[in-house]
Amino acid sequence: MKTGTGTPPVVSDIPTKEKIVFVTFDDGAEKDPKFVTMMGELKIPFTMFLTDVSIRSDYDYFKPLQELGNPIMNHTLTHPNLRTESESAQRHEICTQQTKLKAEYGTTPRLFRPPYGNLNEATKTAAKSCGLQALILWRESMQIKGMQYQRADKKLHPGDIILAHFRGPSELKGTSMTEMTANLLREISHQGFTVARLEDYV
Ligand SMILES: [Zn+2]
């Protein structure tokens, strides 16, 4: 990706004609061992955007997922609505999480996802000053059984980025994270798409 003197791009989909989509999991609250087993067997690539308050009870949970080749990226320290924060507060949220993730997982994140998808110009400036190369949003978000679409045609499009979360039965009305993920992958393949690795494209 080209990096110039401007602020990092905001990316919700990747320009491509291939029938590929990208899967991302956010926050990190749910730590279901069965999800690790499942993703180890399926070998579907995904990107994790992790928030310190959600993962600090068990940083180690995410290490086997990372060892499968799935990168860990930045989703702030405490998950605030950045639009209501000053630039220096935003920088603290983003840069401190960069340092923590590097210390815990050994690699410095390149990509940033603002909580709730909320951002302003200060977010881009802050993210850049923390060394981040792109702000990643999404086109679809995975709910318990089906996807929520931003476009009126309610279909996946080539290059779409899909948002999902580390959520468990208490937040999914009894559905487990592995069931939700199975529903997600079934819907992707039902629409004729395969899952590609986001970091190969951005
Ligand atoms: Zn989040």
Side-chain angles (χ1 to χ4, degrees):
M1 188 169 63
K2 282 185 191 140
T3 49
T5 50
T7 50
V10 179
V11 177
S12 304
D13 54 65
I14 303 294
T16 178
K17 290 194 168 65
E18 280 180 87
K19 290 197 86 179
I20 53 170
V21 290
F22 305 95
V23 173
T24 62
F25 288 96
D26 278 18
D27 304 344
E30 174 73 355
K31 299 169 187 71
D32 183 350
K34 292 201 183 92
F35 179 72
V36 179
T37 307
M38 177 186 187
M39 296 321 261
E41 287 167 1
L42 291 177
K43 300 189 169 60
I44 302 277
F46 60 94
T47 306
M48 296 173 270
F49 289 92
L50 301 182
T51 301
D52 191 61
V53 291
S54 301
I55 65 173
R56 64 170 62 139
S57 64
D58 185 7
Y59 291 117
D60 286 350
Y61 171 79
F62 301 92
K63 291 178 181 172
L65 294 171
Q66 181 191 30
E67 280 159 21
L68 292 170
N70 305 300
I72 289 173
M73 300 296 183
N74 191 328
H75 193 45
T76 73
L77 206 53
T78 70
H79 210 274
N81 174 4
L82 292 173
R83 264 187 217 150
T84 65
E85 305 282 336
S86 69
E87 188 178 320
S88 70
Q90 295 199 38
R91 203 178 306 120
H92 174 71
E93 279 285 339
I94 302 167
C95 289
T96 311
Q97 181 66 343
Q98 283 289 90
T99 308
K100 278 183 170 281
L101 291 173
K102 168 76 164 73
E104 200 59 49
Y105 300 108
T107 57
T108 302
R110 282 196 305 114
L111 306 178
F112 175 63
R113 173 168 279 156
Y116 318 104
N118 286 348
L119 62 105
N120 55 21
E121 278 307 309
T123 313
K124 296 187 212 171
T125 310
K128 185 182 179 180
S129 75
C130 302
L132 288 150
Q133 295 172 5
L135 278 61
I136 306 297
L137 299 183
W138 58 89
R139 282 293 187 178
E140 288 83 27
S141 83
M142 183 60 196
Q143 307 300 310
I144 298 168
K145 289 203 162 62
M147 257 182 279
Q148 199 172 70
Y149 296 87
Q150 290 176 354
R151 297 191 195 85
D153 68 2
K154 299 197 185 304
K155 280 183 191 157
L156 295 172
H157 289 232
D160 278 0
I161 297 167
I162 302 170
L163 166 67
H165 290 89
F166 285 94
R167 281 183 184 152
S170 63
E171 291 171 297
L172 297 175
K173 297 189 171 140
T175 300
S176 69
M177 184 163 172
T178 52
E179 289 169 314
M180 184 220 49
T181 303
N183 292 338
L184 167 65
L185 297 174
R186 200 176 297 122
E187 185 58 37
I188 291 170
S189 79
H190 177 71
Q191 293 190 39
F193 284 78
T194 58
V195 180
R197 189 178 301 281
L198 182 61
E199 297 65 39
D200 293 344
Y201 292 81
V202 65

